[in-house]
Amino acid sequence: MLRWKIRSWPWPVLLAMAFGVLMQPIGAAASTPPNAALLTQAEDLRTSDHPQFLRLLETLQQQASSMSPHERWQLRYLQGWQAAFRGDYAGAEGILREVIGHSGDPPLVAKASAVLMNAMASNRHYEEAFELANRLMADLPKIEDTQARFLVRLYVAQVLSYAEQYDLAANYFRDMLQALPPGETSCKPEAMLISVLYQSHKLNSASIELPRGIEACRAAGQPIFADTIWLVKASLYLDEDQPDRAIALLRQIAPRILASQNYYHTQNVQEEFAQAYWKLGDDDKARKAALAVLAVSDPGDINGTLKDAYEILYRIEKKHGRAMAALTYYEHYAAQNIGHLNDISAKTLAYDVAQQRMLAQKLETEKLSRQNKLLQLQQALAAKTIETGHLYIALLLLVLASVIFWLLRTKRSQLHFKQQARLDGLTGIFNHQHFIGEAQRALQLLERRRGDACLVFIDLDYFKQINDTHGHAVGDALLKHTVAICKQPMRANDLFGRLGGEEFGILLLGCSHEQGMVIADRVRTAIETTPMNVDGCAITFSASIGLVSTQACGYGLQLLCREADAALYRAKRSGRNRLVSHVEHNDPVKLFQVGHGGP
């Protein structure tokens, strides 16, 4: 079964293709010269009428020799925006750095810096992007132009979503919606808020945010932002197994997206078509759409959209018995999958490094400030007769600071030990005791609301053989690899713990039996199709899964564990690499998945 990766490209990246649309033009009086008027008009039309914008840009480039220096820098900025829009991030970075370094126009520098920040993130220069975000926020009080200040905050919030700081980014966007500057509409923060809510699994196709955002962008004349929201809605339809509705929506927006020639939108609309046709069983159309994704992609590009396209092609070729073609596509899929996971790790690491550097710089600044204050104090004490009293005060402050520092260290140690008591030392997920405790509390709350939940037990097949063959270090790495795979289809409120050895437990909250079966089988399929690379050797492995739902067995954790374990035992006895579900308490266990390697 295919796992629909709605974040094929992070939705903040899909918004990043509209870098310059965030930038409102600097107002021009009725008597502005022709070049200034054309520049203002071009900035207005970038995403509302992109073909007209390109024609104006060509006209402006022909008239560059008659422009003032300030107008030439405005033109250079528009050229940088267009380079980023079409996916030429390296070219965009060079142009935008020129604008920042030489234009001498603070509002234009702020706008170009914001575009550059997104271009660097899209070009996987994450560490530089996060460091620039920190600098922009530090310099925010110095930006006098209210529009530029708003845009810097907007872009910084967007960059936070690159580092998967979704809740923090969502709070930024909500704050901006409450305090829009004059002349600004709610379209941009609404669209970005929708993207981070989608990333954090807090949207469905009926969420009120979607029509509200689409209407705001339609009224503002921003079709690219509206198309981004439409693509999110199509993804939600696919997540909810409504491929027919997804196709109907995609057919409406595809002509406009393909005409805009936007790199990310073009990739994603074709990939969503491929996913929808695959779900409907139309292999020919699914294959054509997946190949269209490859056709528009840059050589050597690695992203989640390409990963999903290769997976569809692999599944189709495998289904039709074309083994060589299936193997070729599987190799591409595996490479994309590994690259995609590495990219996620790189973003997280870059964010942490940038935060640590910012903290170090802040501490250094505070150190210099303290040293300066101490020098001033010494000079003052030398000129006064109360030097001894001041020294006693300084000593008292030092002792107080030491006490506070000791208290903070003690508190930090307490928090560290508390975390160690809750988490499994190897995998970083809940240990057995904490998982059982949290599951018990969650089920009690769920019983009062009469909600549904599914308990899933996962056991890696032939794990002892892997340990014996490759050693315990590889076995430990395989357990961590399994945890990373299992986390992908899980929702934010699901509980995940290591029950012991190679056995894991997942409590899917607010999840019906049918939904639980789909998620559990996605986990099984992902484990089966995602080998671990060790010294150039791919170690393939599989898992047996047992599932029980509260619909069948109620909310007693002891009974749920017993039935889930029985279902897992049945999966093992039936040949492993299977998902088995306990349907009803008094009925026999139902075998959901038979055979190996696919539904």
Side-chain angles (χ1 to χ4, degrees):
M1 180 176 293
L2 278 177
R3 176 178 178 274
W4 167 240
K5 181 78 169 170
I6 44 182
R7 292 158 301 283
S8 299
W9 276 92
W11 288 106
V13 176
L14 294 181
L15 290 169
M17 49 68 195
F19 298 129
V21 71
L22 297 174
M23 312 305 176
Q24 299 296 330
I26 300 173
S31 59
T32 53
N35 287 333
L38 285 176
L39 287 164
T40 299
Q41 185 181 5
E43 197 162 7
D44 275 327
L45 293 173
R46 276 174 297 181
T47 54
S48 60
D49 189 349
H50 190 255
Q52 178 63 11
F53 163 75
L54 292 177
R55 289 191 288 272
L56 281 175
L57 187 62
E58 183 177 358
T59 300
L60 287 165
Q61 289 170 164
Q62 293 171 356
Q63 298 176 187
S65 59
S66 64
M67 291 181 180
S68 67
H70 174 71
E71 290 169 344
R72 281 196 291 272
W73 284 120
Q74 284 184 299
L75 173 61
R76 197 67 174 144
Y77 162 72
L78 292 176
Q79 292 170 334
W81 177 88
Q82 173 58 20
F85 182 87
R86 69 172 182 262
D88 179 13
Y89 301 117
E93 284 189 34
I95 296 171
L96 294 167
R97 289 185 188 279
E98 288 180 21
V99 176
I100 294 167
H102 304 290
S103 70
D105 181 356
L108 195 60
V109 167
K111 294 193 292 185
S113 298
V115 177
L116 175 62
M117 178 175 58
N118 272 305
M120 290 190 298
S122 299
N123 205 22
R124 295 188 175 87
H125 298 166
Y126 300 124
E127 190 171 330
E128 294 174 271
F130 293 136
E131 288 182 353
L132 179 54
N134 290 333
R135 290 200 299 272
L136 285 172
M137 286 303 292
D139 294 337
L140 193 62
K142 303 175 186 176
I143 301 175
E144 297 180 357
D145 186 273
T146 57
Q147 186 68 30
R149 286 169 58 88
F150 174 80
L151 297 172
V152 167
R153 290 184 65 203
L154 201 64
Y155 271 114
V156 169
Q158 181 175 316
V159 168
L160 286 173
S161 63
Y162 278 88
E164 300 186 356
Q165 304 295 313
Y166 300 128
D167 290 339
L168 183 57
N171 289 336
Y172 267 86
F173 295 135
R174 289 190 182 101
D175 291 342
M176 293 171 197
L177 285 169
Q178 297 300 317
L180 293 170
E184 182 59 67
T185 71
S186 62
C187 170
K188 303 152 196 175
E190 284 276 13
M192 291 185 172
L193 176 60
I194 287 169
S195 76
V196 296
L197 290 177
Y198 182 77
Q199 285 286 335
S200 53
H201 309 286
K202 295 178 180 177
L203 282 182
N204 57 59
S205 61
S207 296
I208 60 172
E209 289 88 351
L210 296 170
R212 186 177 66 197
I214 290 169
E215 177 56 27
C217 292
R218 185 200 63 78
Q222 299 293 354
I224 287 183
F225 280 93
D227 286 344
T228 298
I229 302 173
W230 283 122
L231 285 169
V232 170
K233 188 164 187 176
S235 295
L236 289 167
Y237 281 148
L238 289 169
D239 291 344
E240 297 164 6
D241 288 324
Q242 301 183 65
D244 51 340
R245 299 188 70 178
I247 288 176
L249 174 55
L250 291 169
R251 283 174 177 167
Q252 292 179 22
I253 64 174
R256 182 170 63 248
I257 288 177
L258 297 178
S260 74
Q261 299 181 354
N262 179 262
Y263 182 61
Y264 298 112
H265 275 180
T266 302
Q267 272 194 331
N268 275 268
V269 75
Q270 296 289 7
E271 197 265 352
E272 289 186 6
F273 267 130
Q275 291 283 357
Y277 284 127
W278 169 259
K279 286 177 177 282
L280 289 174
D282 192 337
D283 294 348
D284 289 338
K285 289 183 179 179
R287 185 175 186 275
K288 181 179 179 182
L291 289 173
V293 176
L294 308 187
V296 301
S297 300
D298 291 337
D301 205 353
I302 294 179
N303 60 62
T305 304
L306 284 170
K307 176 179 73 70
D308 290 344
Y310 278 121
E311 184 179 12
I312 291 172
L313 292 169
Y314 157 69
R315 296 293 185 186
I316 292 172
E317 298 300 332
K318 180 182 177 183
K319 176 180 176 181
H320 291 279
R322 296 188 282 266
M324 291 303 297
L327 178 61
T328 300
Y329 285 130
Y330 181 80
E331 290 174 350
H332 285 295
Y333 159 73
Q336 290 287 335
N337 188 49
I338 293 170
H340 185 57
L341 293 174
N342 290 340
D343 188 59
I344 293 172
S345 300
K347 285 187 285 189
T348 304
L349 178 62
Y351 177 78
D352 291 338
V353 168
Q355 293 301 103
Q356 290 298 323
R357 286 184 179 174
M358 182 181 70
L359 179 60
Q361 291 171 357
K362 183 179 179 181
L363 291 174
E364 183 63 25
T365 302
E366 290 176 353
K367 178 182 177 182
L368 293 174
S369 177
R370 287 196 301 269
Q371 290 174 346
N372 184 51
K373 288 180 181 178
L374 182 60
L375 180 60
Q376 292 175 352
L377 178 62
Q378 290 173 342
Q379 292 173 345
L381 288 175
K384 299 182 182 190
T385 59
I386 55 171
E387 180 177 329
T388 304
H390 283 187
L391 287 174
Y392 281 131
I393 292 172
L395 242 126
L396 182 60
L397 290 174
L398 183 60
V399 171
L400 182 60
S402 300
V403 170
I404 293 172
F405 177 71
W406 178 80
L407 290 173
L408 289 174
R409 287 194 60 183
T410 302
K411 183 65 176 178
R412 184 178 177 184
S413 298
Q414 290 173 345
L415 292 174
H416 174 72
F417 290 134
K418 183 178 179 181
Q419 184 183 43
Q420 292 296 101
R422 295 170 60 244
L423 302 181
D424 176 60
L426 176 64
T427 62
I429 60 176
F430 289 162
N431 59 31
H432 182 280
Q433 182 179 0
H434 191 68
F435 174 78
I436 293 299
E438 290 296 311
Q440 183 72 54
R441 282 189 287 273
L443 286 168
Q444 290 172 355
L445 292 174
L446 198 65
E447 183 176 12
R448 290 198 289 269
R449 299 197 305 267
R450 307 307 300 170
D452 296 329
C454 293
L455 181 63
V456 180
F457 278 5
I458 304 170
D459 190 89
L460 299 185
D461 298 329
Y462 305 112
F463 181 75
K464 185 177 184 304
Q465 293 182 12
I466 295 175
N467 258 345
D468 294 343
T469 303
H470 300 281
H472 288 282
V474 172
D476 290 346
L478 188 67
L479 292 175
K480 295 179 183 177
H481 182 65
T482 302
V483 167
I485 293 172
C486 292
K487 283 182 177 180
Q488 294 181 30
M490 291 172 59
R491 290 86 47 87
N493 62 335
D494 294 335
L495 302 179
F496 188 21
R498 184 182 179 191
L499 303 180
E502 68 274 20
E503 188 172 351
F504 302 90
I506 301 174
L507 183 61
L508 302 171
L509 297 170
C511 183
S512 67
H513 176 267
E514 291 75 16
Q515 293 170 330
M517 293 295 285
V518 171
I519 294 173
D521 195 56
R522 285 179 181 171
V523 171
R524 186 198 65 77
T525 303
I527 290 174
E528 178 190 9
T529 58
T530 311
M532 185 179 74
N533 237 331
V534 177
D535 298 330
C537 175
I539 299 177
T540 60
F541 63 106
S542 64
S544 298
I545 300 177
L547 179 145
V548 65
S549 73
T550 55
Q551 295 168 286
C553 295
Y555 298 92
L557 180 58
Q558 187 174 4
L559 176 59
L560 289 171
C561 287
R562 186 166 64 248
E563 297 301 341
D565 196 55
L568 176 60
Y569 179 66
R570 175 66 65 87
K572 288 284 188 182
R573 286 197 310 168
S574 300
R576 293 182 168 84
N577 190 17
R578 300 172 190 278
L579 167 61
V580 170
S581 166
H582 178 281
V583 179
E584 294 181 3
H585 182 60
N586 296 319
D587 289 346
V589 175
K590 177 183 177 183
L591 184 63
F592 174 77
Q593 185 79 29
V594 223
H596 297 273

